Amino acid sequence: MSNVHQQYAVNPFPELRGHGLWLRPWDAESDADAASWLRGLSDPEFQRWNTPLKFVRDVDAARESLRSRAESAREGTGVAFHVTDPDTGDALGHIGINAIDHVMRRAMVGYWVLPEARGRHVATRALHLATRFAFTELALHRLELDHAAGHDASCHIAERCGYRYEGTLRGAMFEAGRHDAFRDCHLHARLATDPEPEVPDLARGAR
């Protein structure tokens, strides 16, 4: 591990609260967490827009995937938050700060929401929290967010959180369920120096 990454190793892992959410670390040894991770990555809507490098098809694979996320946090190259209800602890989704480059102070963000939690602006609220953490605690300068072209909901979330649309990347993402074909994606980004977007009271409202 390089010195610059070691300096920003996420240990102990933070917990973030705000906007009606609790963001905490995923626990690979928790049956509930492994089941939620598997359910999120198995959801047809997730699979429509995302194709992981390694498919997660059972609980054992889910645990291994979560362990790799924890290792990234220890190495300072990624942070994966379990998005939960602060009152009940119920799983709502996931948000991650990935591919962190502490030299260029840049990273990628990604998220998904479980089916029963959709329509409650969970992704928008989680992205606000994670963005603030990345700029303040991780001292990053640029956060990028990309999504498959045609995923209008993700476009709206990005723009609502101050991630400006910067263009279309041709053939930059795998086609759904395939590693041998590609599709275009839209690139959004936000800088630490950009104006802070107004955060509406989304905790109670639905789309």
Short mmCIF file of all heavy atoms in Angstrom, two decimals, residues 23-61:
data_model
loop_
_atom_site.label_atom_id
_atom_site.label_comp_id
_atom_site.label_asym_id
_atom_site.label_seq_id
_atom_site.Cartn_x
_atom_site.Cartn_y
_atom_site.Cartn_z
N LEU A 23 -25.98 5.43 7.70
CA LEU A 23 -25.03 4.74 6.85
C LEU A 23 -23.98 4.10 7.73
O LEU A 23 -23.27 4.79 8.47
CB LEU A 23 -24.38 5.70 5.85
CG LEU A 23 -25.12 6.01 4.55
CD1 LEU A 23 -26.52 6.54 4.82
CD2 LEU A 23 -24.33 6.99 3.69
N ARG A 24 -23.88 2.80 7.65
CA ARG A 24 -22.96 2.05 8.51
C ARG A 24 -22.17 1.06 7.66
O ARG A 24 -22.50 0.81 6.51
CB ARG A 24 -23.73 1.32 9.61
CG ARG A 24 -24.67 0.23 9.11
CD ARG A 24 -25.11 -0.66 10.25
NE ARG A 24 -26.04 -1.71 9.89
CZ ARG A 24 -25.69 -2.88 9.35
NH1 ARG A 24 -24.43 -3.12 9.05
NH2 ARG A 24 -26.61 -3.79 9.08
N PRO A 25 -21.12 0.45 8.23
CA PRO A 25 -20.37 -0.54 7.46
C PRO A 25 -21.18 -1.81 7.22
O PRO A 25 -22.00 -2.20 8.05
CB PRO A 25 -19.14 -0.83 8.33
CG PRO A 25 -19.56 -0.46 9.72
CD PRO A 25 -20.51 0.68 9.56
N TRP A 26 -20.95 -2.44 6.08
CA TRP A 26 -21.48 -3.77 5.83
C TRP A 26 -20.67 -4.78 6.66
O TRP A 26 -19.48 -4.62 6.86
CB TRP A 26 -21.35 -4.13 4.36
CG TRP A 26 -22.30 -3.42 3.44
CD1 TRP A 26 -22.06 -2.25 2.77
CD2 TRP A 26 -23.61 -3.83 3.09
NE1 TRP A 26 -23.15 -1.92 2.01
CE2 TRP A 26 -24.12 -2.87 2.18
CE3 TRP A 26 -24.42 -4.92 3.43
CZ2 TRP A 26 -25.39 -2.96 1.62
CZ3 TRP A 26 -25.68 -5.02 2.88
CH2 TRP A 26 -26.17 -4.05 1.98
N ASP A 27 -21.34 -5.83 7.12
CA ASP A 27 -20.69 -6.88 7.90
C ASP A 27 -20.81 -8.20 7.13
O ASP A 27 -21.89 -8.79 7.05
CB ASP A 27 -21.35 -6.99 9.27
CG ASP A 27 -20.71 -8.05 10.15
OD1 ASP A 27 -19.75 -8.71 9.70
OD2 ASP A 27 -21.18 -8.23 11.28
N ALA A 28 -19.70 -8.66 6.58
CA ALA A 28 -19.72 -9.88 5.77
C ALA A 28 -20.10 -11.11 6.58
O ALA A 28 -20.59 -12.09 6.03
CB ALA A 28 -18.34 -10.09 5.13
N GLU A 29 -19.89 -11.05 7.90
CA GLU A 29 -20.20 -12.22 8.72
C GLU A 29 -21.64 -12.21 9.23
O GLU A 29 -22.08 -13.17 9.88
CB GLU A 29 -19.23 -12.29 9.91
CG GLU A 29 -17.76 -12.17 9.53
CD GLU A 29 -17.39 -13.05 8.33
OE1 GLU A 29 -17.79 -14.23 8.31
OE2 GLU A 29 -16.72 -12.55 7.41
N SER A 30 -22.37 -11.14 8.94
CA SER A 30 -23.78 -11.06 9.34
C SER A 30 -24.65 -11.74 8.29
O SER A 30 -24.59 -11.40 7.11
CB SER A 30 -24.19 -9.59 9.50
OG SER A 30 -25.59 -9.45 9.46
N ASP A 31 -25.49 -12.68 8.73
CA ASP A 31 -26.40 -13.35 7.79
C ASP A 31 -27.34 -12.34 7.14
O ASP A 31 -27.63 -12.42 5.94
CB ASP A 31 -27.21 -14.43 8.51
CG ASP A 31 -26.36 -15.61 8.94
OD1 ASP A 31 -25.23 -15.77 8.42
OD2 ASP A 31 -26.82 -16.38 9.81
N ALA A 32 -27.83 -11.39 7.94
CA ALA A 32 -28.77 -10.40 7.42
C ALA A 32 -28.10 -9.50 6.38
O ALA A 32 -28.69 -9.21 5.33
CB ALA A 32 -29.34 -9.56 8.56
N ASP A 33 -26.87 -9.07 6.66
CA ASP A 33 -26.17 -8.20 5.71
C ASP A 33 -25.86 -8.95 4.42
O ASP A 33 -26.02 -8.40 3.32
CB ASP A 33 -24.89 -7.66 6.33
CG ASP A 33 -25.12 -6.47 7.24
OD1 ASP A 33 -26.26 -6.31 7.72
OD2 ASP A 33 -24.17 -5.71 7.48
N ALA A 34 -25.39 -10.18 4.55
CA ALA A 34 -25.08 -10.96 3.35
C ALA A 34 -26.33 -11.19 2.51
O ALA A 34 -26.29 -11.11 1.28
CB ALA A 34 -24.45 -12.30 3.74
N ALA A 35 -27.46 -11.44 3.18
CA ALA A 35 -28.71 -11.65 2.45
C ALA A 35 -29.16 -10.37 1.75
O ALA A 35 -29.65 -10.42 0.62
CB ALA A 35 -29.78 -12.15 3.42
N SER A 36 -29.00 -9.22 2.42
CA SER A 36 -29.40 -7.96 1.81
C SER A 36 -28.51 -7.62 0.61
O SER A 36 -28.99 -7.14 -0.43
CB SER A 36 -29.32 -6.82 2.83
OG SER A 36 -30.27 -7.00 3.85
N TRP A 37 -27.21 -7.89 0.74
CA TRP A 37 -26.29 -7.64 -0.37
C TRP A 37 -26.64 -8.52 -1.57
O TRP A 37 -26.71 -8.05 -2.70
CB TRP A 37 -24.87 -7.92 0.10
CG TRP A 37 -23.78 -7.58 -0.87
CD1 TRP A 37 -23.08 -8.44 -1.67
CD2 TRP A 37 -23.25 -6.28 -1.16
NE1 TRP A 37 -22.15 -7.77 -2.42
CE2 TRP A 37 -22.23 -6.44 -2.12
CE3 TRP A 37 -23.53 -4.99 -0.68
CZ2 TRP A 37 -21.49 -5.36 -2.63
CZ3 TRP A 37 -22.80 -3.92 -1.17
CH2 TRP A 37 -21.80 -4.11 -2.14
N LEU A 38 -26.92 -9.79 -1.30
CA LEU A 38 -27.30 -10.70 -2.38
C LEU A 38 -28.61 -10.26 -3.02
O LEU A 38 -28.74 -10.27 -4.26
CB LEU A 38 -27.44 -12.12 -1.83
CG LEU A 38 -27.93 -13.18 -2.81
CD1 LEU A 38 -26.99 -13.32 -4.00
CD2 LEU A 38 -28.09 -14.53 -2.09
N ARG A 39 -29.56 -9.86 -2.20
CA ARG A 39 -30.86 -9.45 -2.73
C ARG A 39 -30.73 -8.19 -3.59
O ARG A 39 -31.38 -8.07 -4.64
CB ARG A 39 -31.83 -9.21 -1.58
CG ARG A 39 -33.29 -9.12 -1.99
CD ARG A 39 -34.21 -9.49 -0.84
NE ARG A 39 -34.04 -8.61 0.29
CZ ARG A 39 -34.73 -7.48 0.45
NH1 ARG A 39 -35.61 -7.10 -0.46
NH2 ARG A 39 -34.55 -6.74 1.52
N GLY A 40 -29.90 -7.24 -3.15
CA GLY A 40 -29.70 -6.03 -3.93
C GLY A 40 -29.08 -6.30 -5.28
O GLY A 40 -29.52 -5.78 -6.31
N LEU A 41 -28.05 -7.17 -5.32
CA LEU A 41 -27.36 -7.45 -6.57
C LEU A 41 -28.13 -8.43 -7.45
O LEU A 41 -27.81 -8.56 -8.64
CB LEU A 41 -25.96 -7.98 -6.29
CG LEU A 41 -24.86 -6.90 -6.16
CD1 LEU A 41 -25.16 -5.90 -5.05
CD2 LEU A 41 -23.50 -7.54 -5.94
N SER A 42 -29.12 -9.11 -6.88
CA SER A 42 -29.95 -10.04 -7.66
C SER A 42 -31.21 -9.38 -8.20
O SER A 42 -31.92 -9.99 -9.00
CB SER A 42 -30.35 -11.24 -6.79
OG SER A 42 -29.22 -11.92 -6.29
N ASP A 43 -31.49 -8.18 -7.75
CA ASP A 43 -32.72 -7.50 -8.14
C ASP A 43 -32.72 -7.23 -9.64
O ASP A 43 -31.74 -6.72 -10.18
CB ASP A 43 -32.84 -6.19 -7.36
CG ASP A 43 -34.03 -5.37 -7.79
OD1 ASP A 43 -35.16 -5.87 -7.67
OD2 ASP A 43 -33.83 -4.24 -8.29
N PRO A 44 -33.80 -7.55 -10.34
CA PRO A 44 -33.84 -7.35 -11.80
C PRO A 44 -33.58 -5.91 -12.21
O PRO A 44 -32.96 -5.66 -13.26
CB PRO A 44 -35.26 -7.79 -12.18
CG PRO A 44 -35.64 -8.77 -11.11
CD PRO A 44 -35.00 -8.26 -9.86
N GLU A 45 -34.04 -4.93 -11.42
CA GLU A 45 -33.81 -3.54 -11.78
C GLU A 45 -32.33 -3.18 -11.67
O GLU A 45 -31.79 -2.44 -12.50
CB GLU A 45 -34.64 -2.62 -10.88
CG GLU A 45 -34.62 -1.16 -11.27
CD GLU A 45 -35.33 -0.85 -12.59
OE1 GLU A 45 -35.97 -1.75 -13.17
OE2 GLU A 45 -35.20 0.29 -13.06
N PHE A 46 -31.65 -3.70 -10.63
CA PHE A 46 -30.20 -3.51 -10.53
C PHE A 46 -29.50 -4.13 -11.73
O PHE A 46 -28.63 -3.52 -12.36
CB PHE A 46 -29.67 -4.12 -9.23
CG PHE A 46 -28.17 -4.13 -9.15
CD1 PHE A 46 -27.48 -3.03 -8.66
CD2 PHE A 46 -27.44 -5.24 -9.57
CE1 PHE A 46 -26.08 -3.03 -8.60
CE2 PHE A 46 -26.05 -5.25 -9.52
CZ PHE A 46 -25.37 -4.14 -9.03
N GLN A 47 -29.87 -5.37 -12.05
CA GLN A 47 -29.20 -6.08 -13.13
C GLN A 47 -29.48 -5.46 -14.50
O GLN A 47 -28.69 -5.62 -15.42
CB GLN A 47 -29.62 -7.55 -13.11
CG GLN A 47 -29.13 -8.28 -11.87
CD GLN A 47 -29.47 -9.75 -11.88
OE1 GLN A 47 -30.24 -10.22 -12.72
NE2 GLN A 47 -28.90 -10.49 -10.95
N ARG A 48 -30.60 -4.75 -14.61
CA ARG A 48 -30.90 -4.07 -15.87
C ARG A 48 -29.88 -2.99 -16.18
O ARG A 48 -29.53 -2.76 -17.34
CB ARG A 48 -32.31 -3.47 -15.78
CG ARG A 48 -32.73 -2.68 -17.00
CD ARG A 48 -34.08 -2.02 -16.76
NE ARG A 48 -34.50 -1.20 -17.89
CZ ARG A 48 -35.53 -0.36 -17.86
NH1 ARG A 48 -36.26 -0.23 -16.76
NH2 ARG A 48 -35.82 0.36 -18.93
N TRP A 49 -29.38 -2.33 -15.14
CA TRP A 49 -28.52 -1.16 -15.35
C TRP A 49 -27.07 -1.38 -14.94
O TRP A 49 -26.22 -0.51 -15.18
CB TRP A 49 -29.07 0.03 -14.57
CG TRP A 49 -30.46 0.42 -14.97
CD1 TRP A 49 -31.61 0.30 -14.23
CD2 TRP A 49 -30.88 0.97 -16.23
NE1 TRP A 49 -32.69 0.75 -14.93
CE2 TRP A 49 -32.28 1.17 -16.17
CE3 TRP A 49 -30.20 1.34 -17.40
CZ2 TRP A 49 -33.01 1.72 -17.22
CZ3 TRP A 49 -30.92 1.86 -18.45
CH2 TRP A 49 -32.31 2.05 -18.36
N ASN A 50 -26.76 -2.50 -14.30
CA ASN A 50 -25.41 -2.73 -13.78
C ASN A 50 -24.96 -4.15 -14.09
O ASN A 50 -25.75 -5.09 -13.99
CB ASN A 50 -25.37 -2.53 -12.27
CG ASN A 50 -25.84 -1.16 -11.83
OD1 ASN A 50 -25.07 -0.21 -11.80
ND2 ASN A 50 -27.11 -1.04 -11.49
N THR A 51 -23.68 -4.29 -14.41
CA THR A 51 -23.09 -5.61 -14.63
C THR A 51 -21.78 -5.67 -13.87
O THR A 51 -20.75 -5.15 -14.33
CB THR A 51 -22.84 -5.86 -16.13
OG1 THR A 51 -24.06 -5.68 -16.85
CG2 THR A 51 -22.32 -7.28 -16.35
N PRO A 52 -21.77 -6.28 -12.68
CA PRO A 52 -20.53 -6.36 -11.89
C PRO A 52 -19.46 -7.17 -12.61
O PRO A 52 -19.76 -8.04 -13.44
CB PRO A 52 -20.99 -7.06 -10.60
CG PRO A 52 -22.47 -6.91 -10.56
CD PRO A 52 -22.92 -6.87 -11.98
N LEU A 53 -18.20 -6.90 -12.28
CA LEU A 53 -17.11 -7.69 -12.84
C LEU A 53 -17.22 -9.15 -12.41
O LEU A 53 -16.88 -10.06 -13.16
CB LEU A 53 -15.76 -7.11 -12.39
CG LEU A 53 -15.38 -5.75 -12.99
CD1 LEU A 53 -14.08 -5.26 -12.37
CD2 LEU A 53 -15.24 -5.86 -14.50
N LYS A 54 -17.68 -9.36 -11.18
CA LYS A 54 -17.93 -10.72 -10.68
C LYS A 54 -19.39 -10.83 -10.30
O LYS A 54 -19.88 -10.05 -9.48
CB LYS A 54 -17.05 -11.03 -9.47
CG LYS A 54 -15.57 -11.16 -9.79
CD LYS A 54 -14.79 -11.60 -8.55
CE LYS A 54 -13.31 -11.80 -8.87
NZ LYS A 54 -12.55 -12.22 -7.65
N PHE A 55 -20.08 -11.78 -10.89
CA PHE A 55 -21.49 -11.96 -10.55
C PHE A 55 -21.62 -12.56 -9.16
O PHE A 55 -20.84 -13.44 -8.77
CB PHE A 55 -22.16 -12.87 -11.58
CG PHE A 55 -22.24 -12.28 -12.96
CD1 PHE A 55 -21.58 -12.87 -14.02
CD2 PHE A 55 -22.97 -11.12 -13.18
CE1 PHE A 55 -21.65 -12.32 -15.29
CE2 PHE A 55 -23.05 -10.56 -14.45
CZ PHE A 55 -22.38 -11.17 -15.51
N VAL A 56 -22.61 -12.08 -8.42
CA VAL A 56 -22.88 -12.58 -7.07
C VAL A 56 -24.21 -13.33 -7.12
O VAL A 56 -25.27 -12.73 -7.28
CB VAL A 56 -22.96 -11.41 -6.06
CG1 VAL A 56 -23.38 -11.92 -4.68
CG2 VAL A 56 -21.61 -10.69 -5.98
N ARG A 57 -24.13 -14.66 -7.00
CA ARG A 57 -25.31 -15.49 -7.22
C ARG A 57 -25.74 -16.28 -5.99
O ARG A 57 -26.79 -16.93 -6.00
CB ARG A 57 -25.07 -16.46 -8.38
CG ARG A 57 -24.64 -15.78 -9.67
CD ARG A 57 -24.64 -16.75 -10.83
NE ARG A 57 -24.01 -16.22 -12.03
CZ ARG A 57 -24.59 -15.39 -12.89
NH1 ARG A 57 -25.83 -14.99 -12.66
NH2 ARG A 57 -23.94 -14.96 -13.96
N ASP A 58 -24.95 -16.25 -4.91
CA ASP A 58 -25.33 -16.98 -3.70
C ASP A 58 -24.74 -16.26 -2.49
O ASP A 58 -23.98 -15.30 -2.63
CB ASP A 58 -24.90 -18.44 -3.75
CG ASP A 58 -23.41 -18.61 -4.02
OD1 ASP A 58 -22.60 -17.83 -3.47
OD2 ASP A 58 -23.04 -19.53 -4.78
N VAL A 59 -25.10 -16.75 -1.29
CA VAL A 59 -24.68 -16.08 -0.06
C VAL A 59 -23.16 -16.12 0.10
O VAL A 59 -22.55 -15.15 0.57
CB VAL A 59 -25.39 -16.70 1.16
CG1 VAL A 59 -24.81 -16.16 2.46
CG2 VAL A 59 -26.88 -16.40 1.10
N ASP A 60 -22.54 -17.23 -0.25
CA ASP A 60 -21.08 -17.31 -0.13
C ASP A 60 -20.40 -16.26 -0.99
O ASP A 60 -19.43 -15.61 -0.56
CB ASP A 60 -20.60 -18.71 -0.52
CG ASP A 60 -20.96 -19.77 0.51
OD1 ASP A 60 -21.23 -19.39 1.67
OD2 ASP A 60 -20.97 -20.96 0.16
N ALA A 61 -20.89 -16.09 -2.20
CA ALA A 61 -20.32 -15.06 -3.08
C ALA A 61 -20.59 -13.67 -2.53
O ALA A 61 -19.76 -12.76 -2.67
CB ALA A 61 -20.89 -15.20 -4.49
#
